[in-house]
Amino acid sequence: MFVSTVFLLYIVLTLAVIGVCVAFFVNLIKGIQHEELFPKKNIRLIFIAVLLIFLQTVASDNLDQAFISEGPAAIALTSNPFVQSLILLVFGILYKMGYQVAAEHDLTV
């Protein structure tokens, strides 16, 4: 039961992360076509991706454990989800600051 749950969670979260990444790049391309370097829609997508990447990495770390362990299920928590999510969070904060600077620049011109 634990193996199938972790595997299914990993697959669903991986597909969700891919979907968010595709939406991010589609919004980015549309924004560039409209001369908008930092589309506002992408800010929300980045912060959703932070949560999804964290959960997907936890599921990924436990996938090996689920297939190997023969005893009771134990959830392993490593530093990988925290580091990856922190890096993406910093990117999200910088992106939001870029959006705010671009919006302020549009008002001053």
Side-chain angles (χ1 to χ4, degrees):
M1 179 69 179
F2 181 68
V3 174
S4 60
T5 303
V6 171
F7 185 69
L8 183 62
L9 185 65
Y10 174 74
I11 296 296
V12 169
L13 288 170
T14 301
L15 292 175
V17 168
I18 291 170
V20 168
C21 290
V22 167
F24 177 85
F25 285 112
V26 166
N27 288 338
L28 195 62
I29 291 170
K30 286 181 183 178
I32 290 172
Q33 289 175 346
H34 298 290
E35 297 180 6
E36 183 182 10
L37 188 57
F38 298 100
K40 187 174 182 179
K41 295 177 188 177
N42 282 348
I43 297 170
R44 181 180 298 133
L45 288 175
I46 292 171
F47 291 116
I48 290 170
V50 169
L51 177 64
L52 290 176
I53 288 287
F54 178 81
L55 295 174
Q56 192 264 350
T57 308
V58 169
S60 174
D61 288 346
N62 285 291
L63 199 55
D64 294 338
Q65 182 71 19
F67 282 112
I68 294 171
S69 68
E70 296 177 5
I75 297 176
L77 190 60
T78 64
S79 63
N80 294 339
F82 297 104
V83 172
Q84 291 176 359
S85 298
L86 183 63
I87 291 170
L88 190 57
L89 183 64
V90 168
F91 174 76
I93 292 169
L94 290 174
Y95 188 95
K96 186 175 181 180
M97 289 172 60
Y99 167 77
Q100 291 170 343
V101 168
E104 184 178 325
H105 181 267
D106 289 342
L107 292 175
T108 59
V109 171

